[in-house]
Amino acid sequence: MIVERDQIRKILLIIVAHMGDVVLATPVTRALRSAFPAAVLHMLVSPLGEEAARHNPFINKTIVYTVTNWEKDRSLLRKLIAGLQQEQYDLALASHYGSLGPMLAWLSGAKYRLGFDADGGAKFLTHVVPSLRGAIVHESEKQLATLEPLGITTRDTGIVFAIYPEEVRNLRQKVTVIHDRPLVLICPFSSHSHKDWTIAGWTSLLQSLAQTARCFLLGGQKELPPVQRLAAAAGNAAEVFAGSLTLGETAALMAEADLIITVDTGPMHVAQAFPAPVLALFGPTHPQVWGPRRPHDVVLYRPQECSPCWQKAEYWPYKCGNHACMEQIPAADVIQAAKSMLQRRPTLQPI
């Protein structure tokens, strides 16, 4: 079936996955907006990706998939399907691996349905893209591959994250940013503990940076207790803002930062939208697939024999007991990299 592009007026992009996956879909939405400037573009996401989707400037509407159990939540599922079919989409894309996205594309009733052949999803699609499992391809490029049946190609994998005026105003009420010394934002914990670095390493880093920089510890509400313990272990060398900022407010703060230090977590991808360099610590996941890619970013990665183990069947669900790949990253290396990046930082203007 040939896609008649002039007939595409309403598009559904399906990414029922994590926040980072939604942020890394920015290149797909930008390419779709460029190819179909007059089309209506909706994004279907999970609650984990909702806030990120609402900050995508290329999206007209965000739909949240709240079905957690198809057997128990049949009324929610029927409501979702009815709502999707009522939209009368011309094109539906599932840019994430798995069968759920392709199945929802099929249930939407869209004439053209694009996605990967992984995990049984091909039977729901009109145009199938070969999966790239095993290949070292960045997630943003992998998602862009779903556009190939449309004849759309692009090398622009840059991230865009819109900041709204009310988020800047709210941030000003919560945080006072004084540019008398460098501002370093630190995201020390992931929602998956095997991605975390050591408390001893973070403590050494904070105590070293606090001598010349102002350090803020960030994270969600779930990360607040470990962040508070880390701050105490470091002698309160950093201010704690975990659990007190929305994602949009965090982004507004990133826009004023001089350096962002993080493990592999959602905010790391959001940080790619702003000028501050990112120092990322990697272990279980492959930095060439998930890491920052700009010239001024730095990744510290000490792979072990089993690295990267993320979603490898022999290590699922995370059978590694010592997380050696993260523990082997020396604090001295992180401190040296951070200080070097601060020395060559550009001068940023407050938003």
Side-chain angles (χ1 to χ4, degrees):
M1 179 188 297
I2 298 175
V3 178
E4 298 181 38
R5 289 179 51 168
D6 59 341
Q7 295 185 7
I8 295 177
R9 297 175 177 84
K10 183 173 278 191
I11 303 170
L12 175 66
L13 177 61
I14 304 168
I15 312 179
V16 183
H18 296 283
M19 179 213 303
D21 301 286
V22 174
V23 174
L24 291 174
T26 304
V28 173
T29 60
R30 177 174 46 240
L32 287 170
R33 177 57 64 213
S34 177
F36 306 102
V40 174
L41 179 55
H42 294 176
M43 184 183 284
L44 176 61
V45 299
S46 72
L48 293 173
E50 179 180 4
E51 197 172 359
R54 296 195 189 282
H55 288 79
N56 185 320
F58 308 110
I59 297 296
N60 298 110
K61 179 181 177 180
T62 300
I63 304 170
V64 183
Y65 176 89
T66 56
V67 182
T68 56
N69 186 307
W70 285 30
E71 290 296 324
K72 295 180 180 179
D73 301 341
R74 290 183 180 180
S75 62
L76 290 175
L77 181 60
R78 286 194 294 267
K79 182 179 179 181
L80 173 67
I81 295 171
L84 295 178
Q85 293 178 350
Q86 187 176 9
E87 295 285 355
Q88 298 183 336
Y89 295 109
D90 303 301
L91 170 66
L93 299 96
S95 65
H96 196 262
Y97 285 159
S99 59
L100 177 58
M103 183 164 56
L104 289 170
W106 174 67
L107 290 170
S108 76
K111 179 179 180 180
Y112 303 114
R113 303 181 298 276
L114 283 59
F116 292 105
D117 62 1
D119 304 321
K123 59 180 173 289
F124 300 108
L125 304 170
T126 60
H127 295 76
V128 179
V129 178
S131 64
L132 303 174
R133 290 194 188 280
I136 305 301
V137 178
H138 197 272
E139 175 66 14
S140 57
E141 293 181 354
K142 185 204 80 176
Q143 293 198 40
L144 280 170
T146 57
L147 301 180
E148 291 176 0
L150 299 172
I152 299 174
T153 59
T154 178
R155 293 186 177 182
D156 187 355
T157 57
I159 301 301
V160 179
F161 193 94
I163 300 174
Y164 303 115
E166 63 270 21
E167 293 170 330
V168 176
R169 290 194 297 268
N170 292 339
L171 177 66
R172 292 285 180 263
Q173 294 175 358
K174 298 177 180 180
V175 184
T176 300
V177 178
I178 303 174
H179 293 275
D180 59 340
R181 50 184 175 150
L183 174 60
V184 180
L185 307 183
I186 299 170
C187 300
F189 300 110
S190 166
S191 56
H192 300 281
S193 61
H194 56 291
K195 295 182 182 180
D196 295 344
W197 194 35
T198 65
I199 295 297
W202 285 123
T203 299
S204 297
L205 175 67
L206 288 172
Q207 291 175 340
S208 178
L209 291 182
Q211 299 175 27
T212 56
R214 190 178 182 191
C215 300
F216 290 176
L217 290 171
L218 306 180
Q221 190 63 42
K222 291 183 179 179
E223 286 79 52
L224 179 57
V227 166
Q228 289 175 326
R229 289 194 291 270
L230 171 58
N236 297 316
E239 299 175 60
V240 173
F241 289 98
S244 63
L245 302 178
T246 67
L247 185 60
E249 291 163 0
T250 298
L253 188 58
M254 288 178 171
E256 298 199 49
D258 295 288
L259 174 64
I260 300 168
I261 307 176
T262 177
V263 293
D264 179 12
T265 188
M268 178 193 70
H269 303 299
V270 175
Q272 293 288 285
F274 304 104
V278 173
L279 172 56
L281 312 185
F282 268 75
T285 51
H286 203 304
Q288 289 181 260
V289 176
W290 298 102
R293 311 178 74 194
R294 302 172 304 175
H296 58 293
D297 296 326
V298 173
V299 172
L300 294 182
Y301 181 48
R302 298 291 182 271
Q304 307 298 299
E305 182 180 356
C306 54
S307 303
C309 67
W310 181 257
Q311 294 184 334
K312 283 185 180 178
E314 62 268 32
Y315 290 100
W316 191 265
Y318 317 124
K319 296 177 182 179
C320 178
N322 57 15
H323 304 163
C325 56
M326 295 301 292
E327 294 178 354
Q328 292 300 315
I329 299 176
D333 288 5
V334 183
I335 293 171
Q336 181 179 1
K339 290 185 174 181
S340 176
M341 295 169 79
L342 283 173
Q343 288 176 355
R344 55 179 192 267
R345 75 188 190 281
T347 301
L348 302 179
Q349 297 298 322
I351 58 175

